[in-house]
Structures are given as structure tokens and as C-alpha cells.
Amino acid sequence: MSQLTPSIRERILRMAMGAECQPLEASEVFIKTARGRLECARPETILPRRLRMLLMLMDGKRSVADFRSGLTRYRNLDDSIDMLRHMGYIQALPQRLDI
């Protein structure tokens, strides 16, 4: 994490300590924002490897429940997803009302 700017480093540390985390609904589905797509396309990244890997998995098809069941060894998964959301790399798809 040494290559992160101080403000990003501080924000990641605050989020990692649970200062800003919000509970995630199991049915929530996330997609990459323009910022997230740009970050995935870059050869070098400011994100730690685990967060970048999780960002790359966000495809708009898998729900939080799918990630929880598929990434059982990923510690603090919900916090990491919430971190990506707060940093502006992903956003939740709107709930469908026509079901």
C-alpha cells in the first residue's frame, strides 16, 4: 500500500476498521462505475491486489450472496465490497419493481 496517496490510504484504513461500513443485502448486485472500469483497464493500480481482484469480479450478474458462497475464504468480504462502493468503483444495480 506504499504507493497510495495519503488521503486514499487513510480512507482505506478507516473503512477497514469499520468506521464507515454499511451492511449489505444478500440480493444486492453491483456493477463497475466508469471509474471502476478505468481502474481495471490500467496496467498499474492504486488498489491493493485483493480489492482489485474483487473489483474485476463485479459483473452485474452475481449478487452479494453469490460472492459470499463462492469466496468463502475471502476475509472481510462485505467490508471490501463496501469499500469499493464508497471509493466510487462500483454501484448497486437498482431493484427491479416489475417482478
Side-chain angles (χ1 to χ4, degrees), residues 48-64:
R49 184 177 53 171
R50 286 170 43 93
L51 282 179
R52 182 179 167 114
M53 182 268 304
L54 187 58
L55 175 61
M56 292 183 142
L57 292 174
M58 296 292 165
D59 60 1
K61 297 176 185 171
R62 296 183 193 118
S63 67
V64 171

Side-chain angles (χ1 to χ4, degrees), residues 27-73:
S27 61
E28 280 186 287
V29 176
F30 290 92
I31 58 170
K32 294 178 199 78
T33 61
R35 182 178 184 185
R37 289 188 303 274
L38 181 63
E39 187 64 33
C40 287
R42 290 183 183 166
E44 294 181 17
T45 182
I46 62 168
L47 290 175
R49 184 177 53 171
R50 286 170 43 93
L51 282 179
R52 182 179 167 114
M53 182 268 304
L54 187 58
L55 175 61
M56 292 183 142
L57 292 174
M58 296 292 165
D59 60 1
K61 297 176 185 171
R62 296 183 193 118
S63 67
V64 171
D66 294 334
F67 283 111
R68 287 176 183 158
S69 65
L71 301 174
T72 57
R73 298 187 68 180

